[in-house]
Amino acid sequence: GQAGVQGFYGGLGNDTYQGTNSFEQVNYDGARSEFAITQNTNGSIRVRHPIWGTDTLINIDGLIFTGVEPGVGGTRTAPFEYVGVGDLF
């Protein structure tokens, strides 16, 4: 990858992803519409999926939604979508 760019994978379970001073993004399988995204009072971001769990994002710059359901040979259910966290709220 590019220098200063770090990616995390938001998989099964409840996780916390902590960014640094570089550019960090979290990649999620599926469509953006499957996830509820809210901002917590402390400025962190909460990304919730009814099956995969709830993640807390701290100092994360972007989210990627692949539009492909998880699993080998997953079905594309939506277009690929990048969302800058600064554009969410």
Side-chain angles (χ1 to χ4, degrees), residues 8-87:
F8 300 102
Y9 176 72
L12 181 62
N14 302 326
D15 300 299
T16 297
Y17 298 105
Q18 172 79 51
T20 62
N21 290 329
S22 296
F23 181 90
E24 285 92 13
Q25 68 189 31
V26 180
N27 303 329
Y28 290 100
D29 288 330
R32 179 181 176 187
S33 62
E34 297 174 16
F35 295 83
I37 305 169
T38 56
Q39 188 169 35
N40 298 314
T41 57
N42 66 0
S44 65
I45 307 297
R46 179 179 145 178
V47 180
R48 184 177 58 80
H49 188 278
I51 296 170
W52 306 116
T54 300
D55 293 341
T56 301
L57 315 181
I58 303 166
N59 295 326
I60 297 297
D61 302 291
L63 305 175
I64 287 181
F65 299 94
T66 65
V68 176
E69 293 306 310
V72 176
T75 303
R76 177 163 299 283
T77 58
F80 176 93
E81 187 173 356
Y82 169 81
V83 180
V85 169
D87 296 330

